[in-house]
Structure formats: structure tokens, C-alpha cells
Amino acid sequence: MPGLIRGVARTAAVAGTATAVSNRVSRRQQCRWAQQQAAEQPDAAPAPPPPTQSADDPNSTIAQLKELGELKAQGVLTDAEFEEQKSRILGS
């Protein structure tokens, strides 16, 4: 019987070690793949500045503000970018 118990214990130790090593290799590969995917993703392109306006045309100002509002609603512009562009259009 002692030989049988020793064989079972050896098998359990080998299987446990193999499982631990396999799990570690899998985690390492997943980390490497995640880092590669993060490096391959392009950065978000900055929002294009609104076209220049003439100071005496209120219709173009309104049109630009509407376009800015649409870009913000679509998620293209952040709140800070929206406020910056709005202040440029309004000249304040």
C-alpha cells in the first residue's frame, strides 16, 4: 500500500505543478496581448477647429454653434473642448 499512496501523491504533485505553470503562462500571454492591443490602438484625433467666421454675420455664428452642439452630442467633443470652441466663436 505505501507504494500506491506514493504513486498517487507523486501524480497529484505533478498534475498540480503542471496546472500552476499552465495558468501562469496563460496569464502572461493575456497580459502581453492586452499590451499589444493597447499599443496598436490609434489615439483619438483632435477635433477640427470650426471654420473662421466674419464678425458681421450672425447666421454663421449660429450655424457654427449648432454644429458644435451636434459634435458634443455625438461625443466627438468633450465639455472642455466645447466650451473652448464656443468662446472662440463668440469672441469672448
Side-chain angles (χ1 to χ4, degrees):
M1 241 0 184
L4 180 62
I5 293 174
R6 185 180 311 155
V8 170
R10 181 179 297 147
T11 302
V14 169
T17 302
T19 301
V21 170
S22 173
N23 288 340
R24 184 168 182 235
V25 169
S26 294
R27 281 192 303 268
R28 252 160 98 208
Q29 285 177 342
Q30 288 175 351
C31 286
R32 286 182 183 170
W33 292 337
Q35 288 174 351
Q36 286 177 351
Q37 286 177 348
E40 290 174 358
Q41 290 178 350
D43 294 334
T52 58
Q53 68 168 0
S54 62
D56 58 347
D57 189 9
N59 290 332
S60 70
T61 303
I62 293 171
Q64 288 177 351
L65 289 173
K66 284 182 182 179
E67 183 179 346
L68 270 180
E70 291 172 3
L71 290 173
K72 182 182 175 201
Q74 293 172 358
V76 175
L77 293 176
T78 64
D79 290 335
E81 292 170 334
F82 174 78
E83 291 299 325
E84 179 184 337
Q85 296 297 331
K86 185 174 81 171
S87 66
R88 285 184 185 172
I89 291 172
L90 295 176
S92 54

